[in-house]
Every structure is written in structure tokens, then in C-alpha cells.
Amino acid sequence: MAVPADRKYAKTHEWHKVEGDIVILGITDHAAEELTDITYVQLPEVGRKVSAGESIGELESVKATSEFYTGISGEIVEVNEKLNDEPGLINSDPFGESWLVKIKPSEMSELDKLLSAEEYQASIS
Amino acid sequence: MNAQKEEKLIFEQSIEGACAANLPACDVPEIKPDYSIPPQLIAETAPELPEVTESQLTRHFTHLANRMMSVDANFYPLGSCTMKYNPKINEWAAGLEGFTNLHPYQHIDDVQGALELMYNLRKYLEEIAGLAEVSLSPAAGAHGELTSVMVIRGYYNDTDRQRDRILIPDSAHGTNPASCALCGMHTTVVKSTPEGLVDLADLAEKVDEKTAAMMITNPNTLGLFDSNITEIARILHDNGAQLYLDGANMNAIIGRVRPGDFGVDIMHYNLHKTFATPHGCGGPGAGPIAVAEHLREYLPVPQVERKDDKFILDYARKKSIGQVRTFYGQFSVLVRAYTYIRALGAKGIKQVCENAVLNANYLAKCLQTHYTLPYNLPCMHEFVISADRQKSRGVRALDIAKRLLDYGIHPPTMYFPLIVPECIMVEPTETETLETLDYFIETMQKIANEVISQPDLLHSAPLTMPVRRVDEVRAARQLDLRWKKEK
Amino acid sequence: MSYIGTNDKQAQAMLDKIGVKSIDELFAPVPKEIQLTELLNLPAALDDISLQRHLRELASKNNNTEDNISFLGAGSYDHYIPPVVDDLANQSAFVTAYTPYQAEASQGALQAFYEYQTLICQITAMDVCNSSMYEAGSALAEAVLLARDVTSASKVIVTENVHPEYRSVLATYLSSLPMTIETIPRANGVTDMKMLGEKLDDDVAAVIIQQPDFLGLINQLDKIADIVRDKKALLIVIADPISLGLLKPPGSFDVDIVIGEGQPLGIPQSFGGPYLGLFAAKEKYLRRLPGRLVGATVDEQGNRAYCLTLQTREQHIRRERATSNICSNEGLLAIRAAIYLSAIGKSGLKQIANLCFQKAHYLANKISQLDGYELKFDKPFFKEFVIVCKKHSPAEIIEFARKAGIFAGVDLGRWYPELSDCLLIAVTEKRTKEQIDNFVEVLGQIK
């Protein structure tokens, strides 16, 4: 799968997509594949203030757990409740329906420090 | 083990009114329970337990037993688990009425035989460890680890309070960091060298005035004895820290090398590994700990002692960390281990480790033609191979494990330690015959050929077990942890 | 004797294959200076016949509860174990298998654990149950650690009538953590409700109640649950599984965690171990449970199958962030408990509970009519009760009865100075009227 060009990436395999004044965050197909079938997602609480680089939740497969991090500071404004029932979405549609959280950034320019699609692609191949 | 159709749950076999026990009628005058107990605390109906006849019960649990692999029926080369044969005389001893029907609070004069056995086992384990004193209290290896970390912490509470950090190698068992965390200790990982040993430079860098101890498994989980062990001990001791030995791999060295002689200050045993007590589908085990002189007074209570000609339980140890379990230890497991040691004697014990090491080296040598051996021989009682060659053909270590089941062999430990890709960790133990070892080698070679000729077969293995490959993802996503009537 | 699988000739062929001359060469990585040059100082090996003789001798130095009449309880009980339980639990396929990590080769144990989890949920009326802890003391400690995780609070309230050894184990586990234990004394024998209410502030992680408690008494669990409900603290109940054939299950009182000693469920007393730690909880704590869990699922052909699940909680995956460090557990004893509960079944558990209750009350009533003895507490009890010994010390009574082949009870002075004239007496379904009458007679004879 090609890495979508419309978003910014963290080295820890999260994507960040800007939609208006909100940043949507998910994990890449590469990370989802490495984790194998996701069985459980622990999402942060809405309203939590987070800073760039912070661990904000956890993904579980049968034999592994992995934290996920935010590449941008701000406040969690929404989490993807759908993942509670269908954690497998992360494997089937990592760049689409299976976004993890929406963040209202305190400093949008922090995104500039993250990787472009091209840079990310290079980092994993 | 024979493949059979699905076995219904015991609940689904229930026949109203059936009971597999013939219980007595009440022979004393009865009173109504609500005569004394408040009615709101009395159950209106009995719990919905299954109701079956004795023959139904027997069939059911016999069928379940038939859906198992076990050491008694199969080669079981599970690395770091020491699945050796469990001699039947140990079971016989543990089943003696004078041991099973003993209450922990009987009069001390009525339990002298039990205490004598515990005391002598304690002494034997002290001798085998080359350390000053053993506590038999801990219930399992991880419990022994936890107890040991508590002992270390107790010691530093008296001497050097700031030491709250424990070093562990990157190949350590998961119980090591988990035990430290339970005691509020922090862990720092020490790297391994490409040869799989502790990286001395990294150790020297990470040890400091806050280091309480290093937890080390030696031989380590790769089956390698760390030749630098005395140097590791020196580095730790020079920095005022303790050397802790995870005794999971004692089967490699008992009778030939004593941890106390290579600088260990504190260690745990796994009686269910080294001393042939059975694993029981996960337990009970027993995890006695041994300590050097300076840590003795911190051991848990009670301690079994000999006073004149009498054996006693000593609770009056001022600096003890306290009790780590109810009562005194996994007594019937201790009886088995004691019986084992008495059957073997010193010479027999030495033969255990020598033949365990011989068998492992023989397997490793013969397997290296078809699988990658990431570390040089000789190994100790176990070794790792990597299925990286097979992975490049699309077959993973897991597939190989599942295929072994079809050949009647329980797979080795898979994917551990984490530092070897597609890791397969093999521990044959000393009790296997050459014929069994050769059968394993042939089978592994056959499977390596199947990887090339029919990889799909491996992906669908096992084919001959009571069930095909189990859907663990579904089990985790759609949790079903108990039967319910409505279903 | 060595249980070694190969002979010297084979060993030599193996050495040749490996390409070394001797076993010593295989030990080359071990520095010479730390290798023993002599045999260990252990007693000489015994042949089978001598070994059996030796162990029989040791066992016969003990005076066991089968050759005597036991009224000992206090956390370990002389309940009836149907022979079918021994026979089925001792099948070597269960005894000599490892933890069921390889699901396809372990369906028998996995299904037995699934049945065990269900059975414990059934008797406790809780949502979920793990596949065993070591014993009640460490299970209690783990329950408190769970409560601490949930609440981030730093105090635990425990009543004085919780088994002193469980409290002692708890204290050991908590001693390295920033947590404190507040012990509330008994009022009129049982939990002091007023003090419980007063102590229950926002920094309390758990309230621990034993039911029936260490002294055999039945606490007002309904009222205690009312006090704890809506507070931050979790309510942890230590239950005697046999009592649940008579008493309403803890789950019906909104209890958060039930732990207990599973020894009464078909497990021999064995001088205190190995026993079985029960651990059941409300569903919402599922992901925080210590220990192993078995789940039902299907195989790739859609057939019902079982496997270990939620392993990410465990130490081998989550390491220092695991819910517990437990690895080896009491698997075989959990299977044993499952066999036991299935054997006695619905009617059997009720009948056993009733027999214990009736016989204990019969004995209590008889003893209280004797000169020199009285019941210590005027409170409801189940199978165990406390008597005050007015004329002789408990130690004297124990000694006298022992000579008549009776284990009279447990001397409470060891843990409770204020009860140093008291004996704790337990009566199970195994005691007959004749044995009980005989005990009463012996008690009356002490001069």
C-alpha cells in the first residue's frame, strides 16, 4: 500500500492528517502489519492535554502490546469508539476508518517537524 | 493422544439430581440456618453447579486427559522449562498419608517427620547452591524472584537506602522485570554481546551507586554459560551491589558448579524444573531461594530449624521481610524434590547436568545442517536455533512448532529470547533416550524438507490433533471466559 | 539411580558426533576455577526399596488427621475428598503437562480451566475468574495491588478478623510500596461498622472482609457493601468456597473482587501447601486481572476450541508493566477443584455446607453446656467457632485431647493476646456424631 501524501508521519509510525483546525491521528499500515491482528485498543480520555512525543494509548495483539504516540501537542477532542468493538479495522483500513484520536493542536506548526510521506516511506524500506 | 470429536462441557452433560459423591445424611439434630444467620445472608438456591454421575464425570475428565500432550507420553523439549521425566516414586512419596493428611497447625510434636524432611531439603539445597541458607517458602520461581528482590531491598533498607535499581540482561525472562516492578524497584537493561553474553562494558557503564543488584540467568536463556561470570560478580560487588541468579537453568550445572562459588549472593530454584517435580499444566511448582551469609537474616519467616533434637518453625527473626505466603511452602512439592535428591545422591546429581548438556550439544550439532545455529557450540543444557532460512521461504517458526505436533513431539519454546529472530529454544533434558533424540533430529530434518516441498502443509499444521489451529485472535476479540446457561 | 536416558556407550558415540573427547570439554565455557573438583556433600543415593522405607519412616513420624480426629481449621480443613477426584486429577496427562501455551496439544487442560473459571464464577456469582493463584494470602495481596491500580489510593482497610497469615503476607507485599494498612478491631466479635464508615475516605483503595471470618463468624456483608458502595474503594471479600452452599454469594452484594482459599475443594491439607488461590472479579477489572485466563474460541475449521487469552496482561509479554509477575500457578489444583465441584454438584455443595453448619452448631452447643467452657461470641457462625477455656489453658486442652487421638483446635493466643484463653474449633462433614460426642466427653474429663 502506498503511504498517503496528504499527511505527516512520526518515526514511531503514526500518521497525522489536518482537517480544519483538528489533527486526526492513526497508525500506518506498516505498523499495523508488524503488530499482526490487533485485538484491543486502549484509547486516551477525551479532554486529556497531551504534548508531542507523549504516549497516548496502547494497541494489543495476541502476543504483543505497543504504545502509540502523538506527534503534536494539544487536547484530545475525540476518540474512535468504533475500535472498541472492531479493533481489526486497524489492520483492514489503517489509513481510513481506523483513525485513533482527534487532537486540537496548540501549535499546528509542530507538524513541520514530522516526516513527509516520502521521508517516512524511505525510513521503513 | 488420539484425535476425537469435541468433548461437551461438563455443564452441558448435567442430569438433574445426579451426584458423583455419596454423602452422609445428617446424624445430629438439625436447626434452621436462619435460627442464627440473618435471612438476607442465606442463599435461596444452591449455585447452579453441574449434576453428573460418577461415570459421566470419569468419562469426561478421561476424555480431557486424552486431549493432552505430556511428558509421560511425548518428547517435550521446551527450552528453559526442563520438562524432564517425573519419577513415580516421588508421586508415591507425596501421596503418603503421613504427608497428605497433615494440618499446618498441628502440634509441633506431631509433625516432626514433615519438618525433618523440610530441614534436610533446606540443607541439601544450601549445599547444591554453595550458599549459606535456603528458604523453602516461595510457591514458584517467580515468587522466589519476588521474595529475593524483597530480601535485597530489606538488606539495603538497613545499609544503603538509595539503591533501588536492578540491572537485567536483554535476554532475561519476563518474570524478572515484573518481579522488580512489584517491589517498586526500577529495572535497567544491560545489552548482550553478539556472542550472547553480558556486555561487560555496558554493565560497567550502567552499574552505579543506585544499583541494588543484577539479575542474571546463567547459563542464560540462549543456553550459554557466561565465562565472564566472576568478572560480572566482581564489577557488581566492587560497586556494592548484589548478584542475583535466576535458577531456571540450574539443570545445566547442578553437582558440577555451585552458584555461590561464582559470586552469586542470592538465587531461586525451580523445583519443578531441576528437581523433577511435575508441572501440572502450569503448577504447582516451588521456588525456594538461597542466600549468602550477609542476607540470611532477611529471609522470610517461618524458617524450619533444628533445636537440639527437635525441629521447629522459627518466626522470631527480627530483620525478616516477613511472610510471603500462607503457611510454610509447597510441602508436597518439597516431598517430591527431597525424594528425588535422595534417590540420586551426589553422583547422580552430577550425572543429571552432564547428560543434560551432552544431549543438548548432540541435538544442536545434528540440527545445524538444516537450521541456523546463531551461537557457537558447546552450549549448556539448552540451545537456540533460528528458523530464519525457513522464514525466507514463507514458513515461520510457529508453523514448524505446529507441524511437530503431528509427529507427536511437543514443540520447543518459540520466539524466546526476543533477541534471536524466529527463535526455537530446545532443551532435551537428561532423561531422554538416544532413540528419542534421533527421532527429533529426523523429524526436524523432515520438516525442513517439507518447508521446501510443501510449505502449505506447514501453514495448515497441525492436522492430527483434536483441533486444528486455534483462533487466538478471535479468543481475544470476542472474549468468552466462562460458560453461561443462556447460550 | 539417575533416570538418565543413555548408557555410556551411547554417550561416547554422541561425544564423537559432537566432535569432543569428553563431557569435560563440553563444560569448557565454565571457568575451571569455579568447577567443583569433588562431589557435593549429600547423603548417598538410596535404592528404591530403601528410599520407600526411609520416606515411610519420615511420614510415620507425623501424626496425621486420618488416624486422629481433627477439629483443626483456620484456613485448612479436613473436608471429604471423593476418591474419584484423586483418580481423575492424578492422570499423568494432567500431572506431567506444561502450561497450555500450545493450544492444539492442550485442549484437555484448557477446557478443564474454562470449566474451573465457570464453576468459581457460579459459586461466587462473580463475572470472571482466573485460572489460579498460589494460595489465599498472595491472592489477597494481588487483589489489593489491583485495587491500588484502579483507585490510585494508598490505604487498605482490613478487619482484625481476616486470617492473621493473610494479613501478614499482605503486609510483606505492601512493605516496599507507598501503601499503608489500617486494621479495624472487632466490635462484638465482628466488623466494627461505625469505624469502617469513619475510616473510609477517598484515599482508601480497598476494604477487605473475610466471610466467614477467621473466627468462623458471619459478617453482615449486605451492610458492609452498603457502606463501601459509592466510595472509591473496592470491596474485596475472602470467601470459604464451601460456605457458598449455604450463604448468599458475594457477587450478589456488589463485591468487586472475591478471593479465597480453594483448599476445601478437594485438595489435601498437605501441611499447608500447595493450595489454590481463588481470584474472581467484576467484568470491568478483566484487563487488570493477574494470572492466566482461558477463553473459548474456534479452530480454523470452526470447531469449538480453547486457548489462553489476554496474555498481554502477563509478564512474558508486558514485563515490568505486567499486572503481576505470576507465571507458574496452581494449574493441577484448579483442575482438581473443577473435578471436585463437578463431582459433588449442585446438591452436594448444599448438603456439605449444611452438614458443616449443623455439626458445628451441635458441637458448639454441647461444649457450651460443659462446665469450664463457653462460646466466646454470640454471633452467627458457619463451620468454625471460638470457645473460651475457663479452667485450663488452650495449650493444656490441646495436649490432653491429643493424647486421646483428638486434634482439639487452634490456640488463638498466638495471634490475639486478648483471646489467649480461646480455642478455634472447626467441624466438617467428615465428623460423625459419635466423634463429636467423644470430643465433648474428652473435654469434660480434663482435670
Side-chain angles (χ1 to χ4, degrees):
Chain A
M1 200 189 289
V3 177
D6 62 348
R7 43 199 101 179
K8 295 289 243 177
Y9 296 85
K11 281 185 188 137
T12 43
H13 310 290
E14 296 82 12
W15 53 258
H16 304 73
K17 185 180 176 190
V18 180
E19 241 181 46
D21 59 348
I22 296 293
V23 169
I24 308 175
L25 184 147
I27 65 159
T28 66
D29 61 335
H30 173 77
E33 217 165 279
E34 287 285 303
L35 279 164
T36 70
D37 296 310
I38 309 281
T39 54
Y40 179 69
V41 186
Q42 196 182 40
L43 295 164
E45 276 176 37
V46 171
R48 179 171 148 192
K49 300 266 195 299
V50 297
S51 28
E54 189 179 327
S55 161
I56 56 170
E58 204 168 73
L59 303 165
E60 286 187 19
S61 63
V62 168
K63 294 273 159 70
T65 66
S66 177
E67 289 172 290
F68 59 92
Y69 303 84
T70 172
I72 189 147
S73 310
E75 185 186 331
I76 311 271
V77 291
E78 196 181 338
V79 298
N80 191 352
E81 304 277 358
K82 213 168 163 187
L83 296 175
N84 291 333
D85 296 327
E86 290 180 77
L89 279 179
I90 296 173
N91 299 103
S92 57
D93 190 10
F95 290 114
E97 257 197 285
S98 72
W99 59 274
L100 296 165
V101 299
K102 293 186 180 175
I103 296 174
K104 187 169 168 58
S106 46
E107 183 53 65
M108 193 64 99
S109 65
E110 277 180 350
L111 284 182
D112 301 340
K113 294 179 198 153
L114 299 177
L115 307 176
S116 68
E118 245 170 41
E119 289 165 332
Y120 177 71
Q121 186 74 60
S123 78
I124 56 171
S125 44
Chain B
M1 181 159 67
N2 42 0
Q4 301 167 328
K5 69 176 177 65
E6 177 186 314
E7 176 68 14
K8 277 188 188 174
L9 288 164
I10 192 81
F11 313 101
E12 295 161 344
Q13 304 182 33
S14 199
I15 299 173
E16 202 182 332
C19 181
N22 189 6
L23 297 165
C26 190
D27 59 355
V28 298
E30 293 199 49
I31 55 166
K32 281 226 156 85
D34 62 8
Y35 169 79
S36 65
I37 304 174
Q40 71 273 20
L41 296 175
I42 299 175
E44 285 134 32
T45 53
E48 282 298 322
L49 297 177
E51 301 181 278
V52 292
T53 66
E54 186 174 325
S55 114
Q56 274 181 297
L57 182 78
T58 301
R59 288 261 167 85
H60 177 65
F61 282 99
T62 304
H63 289 165
L64 292 187
N66 285 340
R67 294 160 80 83
M68 292 296 292
M69 273 191 176
S70 65
V71 169
D72 272 11
N74 307 86
F75 181 40
Y76 219 119
L78 205 52
S80 268
C81 299
T82 314
M83 300 298 287
K84 61 170 78 177
Y85 176 69
N86 309 137
K88 299 300 175 194
I89 198 165
N90 303 352
E91 299 304 305
W92 169 85
L96 286 169
E97 209 155 72
F99 294 139
T100 56
N101 291 321
L102 277 194
H103 188 284
Y105 294 145
Q106 276 180 232
H107 196 287
I108 199 85
D109 291 348
D110 286 339
V111 293
Q112 284 297 301
L115 293 175
E116 181 179 341
L117 182 148
M118 288 171 71
Y119 180 81
N120 285 330
L121 177 61
R122 191 194 125 187
K123 290 287 152 192
Y124 303 157
L125 294 176
E126 286 163 4
E127 165 70 6
I128 293 168
L131 287 165
E133 188 169 338
V134 158
S135 163
L136 300 173
S137 280
H143 200 220
E145 274 176 36
L146 176 66
T147 306
S148 298
V149 177
M150 287 173 174
V151 166
I152 292 169
R153 202 207 51 231
Y155 173 74
Y156 284 121
N157 274 349
D158 276 358
T159 54
D160 194 356
R161 285 187 157 266
Q162 60 167 342
R163 292 185 186 263
D164 63 354
R165 199 163 300 158
I166 297 214
L167 305 175
I168 53 168
D170 51 13
S171 58
H173 293 119
T175 50
N176 292 172
S179 299
C180 294
L182 265 179
C183 290
M185 298 286 245
H186 306 285
T187 51
T188 306
V189 171
V190 177
K191 281 189 271 189
S192 297
T193 63
E195 295 77 39
L197 306 177
V198 173
D199 185 328
L200 289 179
D202 196 45
L203 169 61
E205 196 174 298
K206 285 178 177 155
V207 69
D208 62 15
E209 71 286 349
K210 297 195 90 177
T211 307
M214 176 163 187
M215 296 179 103
I216 189 169
T217 308
N218 195 27
N220 65 16
T221 53
L222 300 165
L224 305 173
F225 192 92
D226 204 316
S227 309
N228 299 321
I229 188 67
T230 49
E231 178 61 9
I232 293 169
R234 192 196 57 77
I235 294 171
L236 290 163
H237 293 156
D238 284 356
N239 278 277
Q242 311 292 312
L243 177 58
Y244 173 87
L245 180 79
D246 177 330
N249 292 341
M250 278 300 283
N251 214 47
I253 59 172
I254 41 164
R256 213 175 150 116
V257 188
R258 303 196 306 172
D261 295 338
F262 58 76
V264 167
D265 300 289
I266 176 165
M267 66 170 285
H268 82 261
Y269 283 103
N270 300 82
L271 298 188
H272 47 293
K273 297 182 180 178
T274 319
F275 296 94
T277 77
H279 284 72
C281 300
I289 66 170
V291 300
E293 192 62 41
H294 60 287
L295 297 174
R296 288 178 78 155
E297 48 190 349
Y298 301 93
L299 283 173
V301 286
Q303 177 62 294
V304 51
E305 293 282 10
R306 182 178 204 149
K307 219 174 175 183
D308 305 323
D309 271 342
K310 199 167 153 177
F311 297 94
I312 57 149
L313 288 163
D314 181 14
Y315 286 85
R317 292 184 152 212
K318 281 206 187 83
K319 291 190 169 178
S320 164
I321 57 164
Q323 251 186 300
V324 293
R325 59 161 296 143
T326 324
F327 309 123
Y328 327 122
Q330 304 279 75
F331 179 69
S332 79
V333 179
L334 306 180
V335 173
R336 290 174 174 91
Y338 174 89
T339 308
Y340 182 70
I341 294 173
R342 294 305 309 262
L344 294 188
K347 197 159 161 254
I349 292 232
K350 187 168 176 231
Q351 282 173 347
V352 164
C353 87
E354 293 180 345
N355 284 271
V357 169
L358 174 66
N359 290 0
N361 276 284
Y362 178 72
L363 284 187
K365 182 79 185 178
C366 296
L367 288 175
Q368 65 179 357
T369 48
H370 290 76
Y371 297 88
T372 303
L373 199 60
Y375 302 102
N376 289 335
L377 295 177
C379 61
M380 299 300 283
H381 69 309
E382 69 187 4
F383 60 93
V384 297
I385 52 177
S386 166
D388 55 354
R389 280 188 248 169
Q390 285 71 24
K391 195 190 178 188
S392 65
R393 292 181 176 270
V395 174
R396 301 204 52 197
L398 179 76
D399 302 315
I400 295 169
K402 297 304 181 193
R403 185 63 182 147
L404 275 170
L405 297 172
D406 285 329
Y407 289 101
I409 294 171
H410 191 284
T413 300
M414 316 304 292
Y415 300 107
F416 187 84
L418 311 169
I419 51 182
V420 174
E422 297 301 307
C423 187
I424 300 175
M425 183 192 199
V426 185
E427 180 181 6
T429 83
E430 73 283 3
T431 58
E432 296 302 330
T433 63
L434 182 56
E435 191 187 349
T436 304
L437 299 176
D438 284 339
Y439 175 68
F440 179 64
I441 294 161
E442 276 163 39
T443 306
M444 285 297 284
Q445 290 170 350
K446 216 183 268 179
I447 292 174
N449 292 331
E450 287 174 353
V451 169
I452 299 164
S453 61
Q454 10 178 12
D456 286 346
L457 178 71
L458 276 96
H459 295 138
S460 54
L463 303 171
T464 59
M465 291 288 106
V467 295
R468 297 287 289 272
R469 215 174 279 195
V470 173
D471 190 345
E472 297 186 25
V473 174
R474 178 185 151 126
R477 282 184 184 162
Q478 301 172 36
L479 288 169
D480 173 0
L481 305 174
R482 56 170 295 196
W483 176 83
K484 277 192 182 126
K485 206 172 189 178
E486 305 81 75
K487 244 174 38 178
Chain C
M1 170 53 83
S2 60
Y3 309 115
I4 303 292
T6 47
N7 65 21
D8 289 348
K9 201 174 148 201
Q10 290 171 320
Q12 190 53 53
M14 291 161 75
L15 288 170
D16 293 346
K17 174 84 192 178
I18 297 164
V20 295
K21 288 203 176 60
S22 66
I23 297 261
D24 288 345
E25 272 185 57
L26 297 178
F27 281 85
V30 184
K32 267 250 150 54
E33 64 274 17
I34 60 170
Q35 292 200 43
L36 291 171
T37 50
E38 284 168 36
L39 288 175
L40 292 172
N41 181 19
L42 293 173
L46 293 176
D47 63 80
D48 285 354
I49 296 171
S50 309
L51 187 56
Q52 284 200 325
R53 189 186 312 118
H54 170 65
L55 278 146
R56 258 200 209 100
E57 267 168 27
L58 275 178
S60 67
K61 287 185 189 173
N62 301 321
N63 235 331
N64 71 61
T65 55
E66 208 52 46
D67 295 341
N68 295 270
I69 299 163
S70 174
F71 293 92
L72 297 170
S76 175
Y77 300 91
D78 184 23
H79 285 292
Y80 170 62
I81 302 175
V84 69
V85 174
D86 278 327
D87 200 70
L88 295 176
N90 288 341
Q91 294 180 92
S92 76
F94 290 141
V95 174
T96 70
Y98 190 67
T99 301
Y101 286 122
Q102 292 292 338
E104 297 84 1
S106 319
Q107 284 298 301
L110 288 163
Q111 184 172 337
F113 290 143
Y114 181 82
E115 291 177 353
Y116 165 81
Q117 289 170 190
T118 305
L119 289 159
I120 301 303
C121 287
Q122 287 177 331
I123 61 171
T124 57
M126 299 301 284
D127 302 322
V128 290
C129 167
N130 77 7
S131 263
S132 81
M133 308 298 288
Y134 306 135
E135 33 64 68
S138 63
L140 175 63
E142 297 261 15
V144 168
L145 294 176
L146 191 163
R148 169 185 181 241
D149 245 25
V150 171
T151 59
S152 303
S154 72
K155 285 189 292 192
V156 194
I157 294 179
V158 58
T159 73
E160 194 183 18
N161 284 10
V162 166
H163 196 306
E165 294 211 32
Y166 304 168
R167 286 189 282 133
S168 160
V169 174
L170 178 65
T172 307
Y173 269 71
L174 297 188
S175 64
S176 50
L177 302 171
M179 289 203 82
T180 51
I181 302 174
E182 296 213 24
T183 308
I184 42 178
R186 71 184 78 87
N188 268 330
V190 291
T191 308
D192 186 335
M193 304 283 191
K194 191 160 163 277
M195 193 182 276
L196 173 61
E198 286 164 7
K199 294 246 179 201
L200 196 52
D201 61 32
D202 255 4
D203 197 27
V204 176
V207 173
I208 302 162
I209 302 290
Q210 189 172 356
Q211 176 81 330
D213 65 29
F214 180 69
L215 304 179
L217 304 174
I218 294 173
N219 286 264
Q220 298 222 298
L221 196 49
D222 52 337
K223 301 217 167 104
I224 293 168
D226 286 342
I227 296 173
V228 183
R229 189 175 298 120
D230 304 326
K231 293 287 193 315
K232 195 181 195 182
L234 273 57
L235 179 55
I236 299 172
V237 167
I238 306 163
D240 171 0
I242 297 296
S243 75
L244 301 175
L246 176 70
L247 299 179
K248 214 173 238 182
S252 59
F253 299 109
D254 207 18
V255 167
D256 291 287
I257 302 172
V258 175
I259 68 113
E261 181 47 72
Q263 182 272 331
L265 303 177
I267 296 167
Q269 298 174 88
S270 288
F271 201 43
Y275 285 176
L276 169 66
L278 309 178
F279 199 111
K282 282 184 181 167
E283 179 138 29
K284 64 177 170 182
Y285 305 120
L286 180 55
R287 286 178 188 275
R288 296 178 190 268
L289 287 194
R292 297 197 182 109
L293 288 167
V294 172
T297 178
V298 293
D299 72 0
E300 62 186 13
Q301 295 186 325
N303 297 310
R304 181 153 61 164
Y306 305 87
C307 65
L308 293 174
T309 194
L310 290 186
Q311 291 188 63
T312 44
R313 297 166 298 109
E314 294 184 60
Q315 46 76 26
H316 63 280
I317 293 176
R318 207 178 286 255
R319 299 174 81 87
E320 68 273 12
R321 294 186 304 122
T323 53
S324 165
N325 74 332
I326 190 167
C327 182
S328 280
N329 55 18
E330 305 299 309
L332 189 64
L333 303 180
I335 293 176
R336 194 173 246 279
I339 297 169
Y340 173 84
L341 282 170
S342 303
I344 60 166
K346 183 180 174 180
S347 60
L349 183 64
K350 195 176 168 186
Q351 195 177 343
I352 291 167
N354 184 55
L355 286 168
C356 292
F357 175 84
Q358 298 298 348
K359 290 174 189 234
H361 283 75
Y362 174 74
L363 175 60
N365 184 39
K366 286 258 171 178
I367 293 178
S368 58
Q369 288 168 20
L370 282 177
D371 190 28
Y373 302 94
E374 66 184 28
L375 267 180
K376 175 73 180 175
F377 304 111
D378 178 26
K379 291 284 172 198
F381 61 90
F382 171 55
K383 66 180 180 191
E384 221 165 352
F385 57 90
V386 178
I387 58 165
V388 188
C389 314
K390 292 191 281 195
K391 287 190 179 161
H392 305 276
S393 74
E396 285 165 344
I397 293 167
I398 288 169
E399 184 60 30
F400 185 84
R402 190 175 149 248
K403 295 206 169 105
I406 294 170
F407 299 158
V410 175
D411 185 344
L412 289 172
R414 176 174 164 192
W415 300 288
Y416 303 102
E418 73 282 10
L419 302 179
S420 60
D421 56 350
C422 292
L423 264 183
L424 179 64
I425 294 174
V427 190
T428 70
E429 72 283 3
K430 277 176 78 175
R431 297 290 74 84
T432 62
K433 177 169 182 295
E434 192 187 343
Q435 289 173 339
I436 294 170
D437 290 341
N438 179 24
F439 180 28
V440 174
E441 201 174 304
V442 168
L443 285 177
Q445 285 165 355
I446 304 176
K447 290 280 156 9

